[in-house]
């Protein structure tokens, strides 16, 4: 994935194009939103975002960042977002255009 990331970065396509790659191959994509970093995996119209390093006390900010990271990684809108019992892990259903 590193080679693809470098090609996209140098071509100026950015995270949305990288998200399309994640949709195609199911690999985790690292994205950041609002100061939080997530590993996002996309599988069809679902996604999982995991943040391993945050001890955030403000759940609303973490949830908002997870939504933004999923949307950046997938290129889709988040329809539903549910926190798992696991620490800082979110499951999402997606709405993708086309």
């Amino acid at each position: 994935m590193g080679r693809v990331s470098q090609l996209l970065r140098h071509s100026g396509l950015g995270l949305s194009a990288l998200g399309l790659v994640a949709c195609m191959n199911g690999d985790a994509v690292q994205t950041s939103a609002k100061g939080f970093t997530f590993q996002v995996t996309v599988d069809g119209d679902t996604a999982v975002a995991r943040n391993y390093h945050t001890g955030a006390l403000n759940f609303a900010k973490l949830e908002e960042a997870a939504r933004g990271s999923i949307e950046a990684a997938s290129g889709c809108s988040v329809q539903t977002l549910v926190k798992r019992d696991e620490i800082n892990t979110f499951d999402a259903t997606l709405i993708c255009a086309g």
Side-chain angles (χ1 to χ4, degrees), residues 25-97:
N25 67 17
D27 290 340
V29 174
Q30 183 172 308
T31 61
S32 295
K34 302 190 180 288
F36 299 99
T37 300
F38 291 86
Q39 295 294 321
V40 179
T41 54
V42 179
D43 185 13
D45 63 351
T46 62
V48 177
R50 290 180 174 87
N51 171 282
Y52 297 106
H53 304 290
T54 304
L57 298 177
N58 188 328
F59 176 75
K61 286 184 179 181
L62 185 64
E63 183 178 41
E64 186 178 335
R67 178 181 301 274
S69 288
I70 291 168
E71 290 178 345
S74 68
C76 303
S77 297
V78 172
Q79 181 177 23
T80 63
L81 186 63
V82 178
K83 186 181 178 310
R84 285 189 190 177
D85 288 336
E86 299 172 39
I87 295 175
N88 299 342
T89 301
F90 296 87
D91 292 309
T93 57
L94 306 172
I95 300 173
C96 298

Side-chain angles (χ1 to χ4, degrees), residues 7-30:
L7 289 172
L8 291 173
R9 192 174 19 231
H10 292 296
S11 69
L13 294 175
L15 281 178
S16 61
L18 185 57
L20 295 176
V21 172
C23 287
M24 292 186 297
N25 67 17
D27 290 340
V29 174
Q30 183 172 308

